Amino acid sequence: MEGISGGGETLEQSLIQQAARVLASRYNGDPADGYQYLSALARDRGTTLTRTARSVLGERDAARDGARGEGAGHVFDSSRYLRRTHPKAMERSDKEPPSFDDVPDPPEWVDSVLAAIHVYGCYCLPLRIDGRIADFVVVRANERAADIAAPGSSLIGCRLTDINPNVLSSGLFDEHVRAFESGEPFSRGPFEYIGVRNGRFEPSTATMKSVRAGPGLLITWELQPEEDQLLARWRQSERLAGLGWAEWNLFTDEIVWTRRMYDIFGRDPASGPLRMDEMPALLLPEDLAEMEEAVRTVFEHREATTGEYRIKQRTGIRHVTLMMEPVLDADADPVAVRILAQEITGRRRRERALAATQQRMLDEHRRAEEERRFATRLREVILPLQAFPMTLPGLVVGARYLATERIGGDWHKARPLPDGRVLLAIGDAMGHGLEAATLMAQMRAGLAGLAYTGAEADHLMTWLNELVRAEAGGEVITGTALLGHFEVETRHLSWVRAGHPPPILVRGGDAWLLEAEAGPLLGVLHDPEYPLTETSLEPDDLLLLYTDGIVDRRDEDLDGATERLMEAAAVATGSVEDRLDAVIRAMRADRTEDDVCLMAAWIR
């Protein structure tokens, strides 16, 4: 706890600052609110900020400075202003206790006790509201405590929160109340504390104690000397920055270390500083040559040097930067060596971790690029085996495949079979990269072989499911597919789908989905059922098969995208290739985030 000292303008500024903080503390506001309260009070009373501040602080000498009588000698009741601007503040302001008009005398022994205390000391009596302690009033103070009061005034009669409002925000006031009510002494410190000093709010390092004595509270506090504060801050800086300081006197051979140096070198302070001839034993052999060159630079060239060394200590290898500087006499001969050490082990550890992470990212990127190139080559080898458009019995087939940076597992197939039917199929191996491209190749090649058995489409899909499960090897690998047989003479399509989007049929300028019950994804179930669907087609019909990449958009729901796809297919004209190109343009399929595969069959 500190008071106000100084005079002239400095005193006035301090009074204003302190009064603003008092108001802010009383009405649960911040410092800006406190200045607002104080300014409003000055306007309401038609007086200056300084005079209003004296009134708020309860100064008894307002008349000495020429202030008017109103407000002098008591704490100003600001309820008129607060009721108008901050009604919530009245929850506390209505209960503010008045200050003592006549300070009561303490017990006779108080003066003797305060006279024996060599630090700041005061004796306070409690102020109560509704039976609760709202503040303490100083009734006696020793000579040293009196020195912190403003010139010409006294601490006697001042409230504890007026002397320094920070007792509220720092929690000290609650501790004093607890000490008074419980009878258990309170002690804190050394601790950082914001107080009023030389007319300004300044940080201090203080030790404070309070104890109930008779009807009042005895409070003592001691401010740490400036030299001790500087030393404490230097030690704190050493700890935060990982710095240690040492000096080697070449005449006396005496070495002085700060506390942090012992931590850096992992040395017990009881063992004393490390001698210079003991230093090489702590270094890794690889760093000895650099240390020898640094010592030569200091003693032979009379120059400061900086180097990084690895030191062996009980917690492992530590990285330390040593800065050595010679202290020269008038003849430029070294008389001492100053050493500044900084531990940078954590920094080097983070750098290694970052380098390892970057290397892993480069390796992963390289592997991904190699897989992408291989998958692209694999797809180029497989899909171009069929040239489009294909003129097959009873129909013309066209296809388009649009790849993204992430190669997917989309595939398509159209082939005449020995029994006179035409196989139409499209699918998607889930995932991206080499795994998806490999599964795509296996599904496509496997279907080509199975189709020559003459089995119906539902059996083919069942076998394709078994193929995917066998290739998975116990892992979960899935895919979708749609396949069917086109009867040339009857223009009849028998088809099934395994988790794949239904095809679109375009007839006479209209387009709709061929809805049918879908079976489960490939590779999920052991013995699934794939219902067979029969669809009759007519000359000039267009059957559009597609993968979900063309309708799976982040900026559009699936139903909306599918509706747009049907509209684009319905209005497209020209050859099969022209109509596929028109659909791709309308759907902006070249901008999708997934591969897109389209296959169109025009019925002749």
Side-chain angles (χ1 to χ4, degrees):
M1 180 171 61
E2 299 175 359
I4 302 174
S5 62
E9 294 183 357
T10 301
L11 174 60
E12 293 177 359
Q13 293 170 0
S14 178
L15 287 172
I16 293 171
Q17 291 175 356
Q18 189 179 5
R21 288 193 173 229
V22 169
L23 290 174
S25 299
R26 287 179 185 170
Y27 309 128
N28 298 321
D30 56 30
D33 292 331
Y35 283 106
Q36 183 181 2
Y37 299 155
L38 189 64
S39 299
L41 291 174
R43 287 195 302 269
D44 286 347
R45 299 189 52 204
T47 187
T48 65
L49 282 176
T50 302
R51 292 173 180 173
T52 306
R54 290 185 182 278
S55 176
V56 170
L57 295 172
E59 291 288 342
R60 295 291 193 264
D61 58 350
R64 179 180 61 84
D65 292 332
R68 293 192 302 269
E70 68 273 18
H74 63 80
V75 176
F76 183 78
D77 181 7
S78 56
S79 60
R80 181 161 60 95
Y81 167 72
L82 292 171
R83 286 192 180 96
R84 187 175 75 248
T85 59
H86 291 73
K88 290 185 178 180
M90 291 306 299
E91 297 176 4
R92 182 175 177 185
S93 65
D94 282 343
K95 297 181 179 181
E96 283 294 324
S99 62
F100 285 116
D101 291 330
D102 296 315
V103 178
D105 292 327
E108 295 180 358
W109 51 263
V110 169
D111 290 331
S112 300
V113 170
L114 288 175
I117 296 175
H118 68 280
V119 295
Y120 296 92
C122 66
Y123 187 77
C124 305
L125 294 178
L127 280 175
R128 297 181 180 272
I129 268 193
D130 298 332
R132 301 181 62 183
I133 297 177
D135 210 331
F136 290 93
V137 170
V138 178
V139 295
R140 285 292 187 274
N142 63 8
E143 292 183 2
R144 190 166 184 184
D147 291 341
I148 69 173
S153 62
S154 171
L155 293 178
I156 307 304
C158 293
R159 296 191 299 174
L160 200 60
T161 56
D162 286 344
I163 295 173
N164 196 326
N166 286 304
V167 296
L168 295 171
S169 59
S170 63
L172 290 173
F173 181 79
D174 293 334
E175 296 291 352
H176 292 326
V177 172
R178 190 175 297 110
F180 182 84
E181 293 180 339
S182 68
E184 297 180 2
F186 158 70
S187 177
R188 182 190 292 184
F191 63 97
E192 294 297 322
Y193 183 60
I194 303 297
V196 178
R197 196 172 192 180
N198 297 324
R200 292 181 176 85
F201 288 97
E202 294 181 357
S204 306
T205 301
T207 300
M208 181 171 290
K209 297 180 180 180
S210 64
V211 61
R212 180 167 183 173
L217 187 71
L218 181 63
I219 302 176
T220 63
W221 66 99
E222 183 177 15
L223 303 181
Q224 193 173 36
E226 187 173 353
E227 294 78 7
D228 292 345
Q229 293 187 47
L230 291 175
L231 181 59
R233 289 165 184 167
W234 165 250
R235 289 172 177 170
Q236 186 178 35
S237 300
E238 277 191 325
R239 179 180 57 81
L240 294 175
L243 291 171
W245 181 87
E247 183 172 286
W248 177 23
N249 189 316
L250 300 179
F251 284 98
T252 64
D253 202 28
E254 181 184 4
I255 300 175
V256 178
W257 273 17
T258 62
R259 180 63 180 83
R260 184 60 182 166
M261 286 289 285
Y262 291 95
D263 297 334
I264 293 175
F265 285 87
R267 191 172 176 85
D268 185 356
S271 302
L274 186 73
R275 298 187 56 79
M276 294 299 295
D277 55 2
E278 298 175 308
M279 182 76 71
L282 296 182
L283 299 180
L284 293 186
E286 297 85 352
D287 295 344
L288 283 175
E290 185 176 352
M291 172 60 77
E292 292 173 357
E293 180 62 27
V295 173
R296 188 178 301 111
T297 300
V298 170
F299 286 96
E300 294 183 6
H301 302 289
R302 314 301 201 258
E303 296 177 356
T305 180
T306 301
E308 181 180 334
Y309 307 93
R310 289 165 295 177
I311 295 176
K312 295 176 291 186
Q313 59 155 277
R314 62 179 183 273
T315 58
I317 304 299
R318 316 300 290 179
H319 291 257
V320 177
T321 297
L322 290 180
M323 291 161 275
M324 294 186 288
E325 177 188 43
V327 180
L328 307 178
D329 62 10
D331 297 325
D333 292 326
V335 295
V337 177
R338 295 193 181 109
I339 302 172
L340 187 65
Q342 182 178 29
E343 183 176 348
I344 56 173
T345 305
R347 184 193 309 171
R348 292 293 176 258
R349 186 183 299 117
R350 291 190 295 271
E351 290 174 354
R352 290 195 298 270
L354 179 59
T357 300
Q358 291 175 337
Q359 186 60 46
R360 285 196 300 270
M361 293 177 62
L362 289 174
D363 293 342
E364 291 175 2
H365 178 74
R366 189 180 300 110
R367 285 194 297 270
E369 185 62 24
E370 291 175 355
E371 287 186 4
R372 192 188 72 81
R373 286 197 299 266
F374 186 81
T376 302
R377 182 56 182 162
L378 181 63
R379 175 173 293 282
E380 291 174 350
V381 170
I382 295 174
L383 290 183
L385 294 179
Q386 292 178 322
F388 289 96
M390 297 177 60
T391 301
L392 301 174
L395 47 77
V396 177
V397 178
R400 290 286 185 275
Y401 174 74
L402 303 176
T404 62
E405 288 293 326
R406 301 187 305 162
I407 299 298
D410 297 27
W411 58 273
H412 55 77
K413 193 167 190 65
R415 171 172 293 188
L417 301 177
D419 58 11
R421 297 181 297 175
V422 176
L423 174 69
L424 298 175
I426 192 169
D428 185 3
M430 295 303 179
H432 295 87
L434 183 59
E435 182 179 344
T438 302
L439 181 58
M440 173 273 296
Q442 293 168 341
M443 292 172 64
R444 191 172 184 276
L447 177 61
L450 295 171
Y452 277 85
T453 63
E456 296 299 324
D458 53 347
H459 291 99
L460 292 180
M461 191 69 82
T462 301
W463 293 339
L464 195 59
N465 177 73
E466 294 178 2
L467 173 64
V468 173
R469 287 178 58 84
E471 293 297 331
E475 298 181 5
V476 179
I477 299 178
T478 62
T480 68
L482 185 152
L483 63 90
H485 291 117
F486 176 70
E487 295 280 355
V488 178
E489 295 182 358
T490 62
R491 298 187 180 89
H492 194 78
L493 182 68
S494 300
W495 57 283
V496 294
R497 63 188 181 107
H500 201 84
I504 295 175
L505 179 60
V506 181
R507 176 180 295 168
D510 295 325
W512 64 90
L513 293 174
L514 294 180
E515 296 289 356
E517 185 179 355
L521 293 171
L522 296 173
V524 176
L525 301 180
H526 173 64
D527 188 20
E529 292 185 1
Y530 295 101
L532 190 65
T533 301
E534 307 288 342
T535 301
S536 296
L537 301 176
E538 299 177 2
D540 208 32
D541 282 354
L542 183 74
L543 187 67
L544 181 64
L545 311 180
Y546 56 95
T547 56
D548 61 358
I550 198 169
V551 292
D552 189 5
R553 307 292 186 90
R554 288 187 178 183
D555 57 348
E556 189 175 11
D557 62 81
L558 180 62
D559 292 339
T562 304
E563 186 68 27
R564 284 201 307 115
L565 178 61
M566 290 190 293
E567 293 175 358
V571 299
T573 58
S575 66
V576 172
E577 298 288 287
D578 292 339
R579 296 170 82 167
L580 284 174
D581 291 338
V583 170
I584 289 174
R585 287 192 301 270
M587 295 299 294
R588 301 189 300 278
D590 57 338
R591 303 178 186 175
T592 59
E593 298 180 0
D594 198 1
D595 291 7
V596 172
C597 187
L598 295 172
M599 187 168 72
W602 174 64
I603 312 302
R604 295 193 295 173

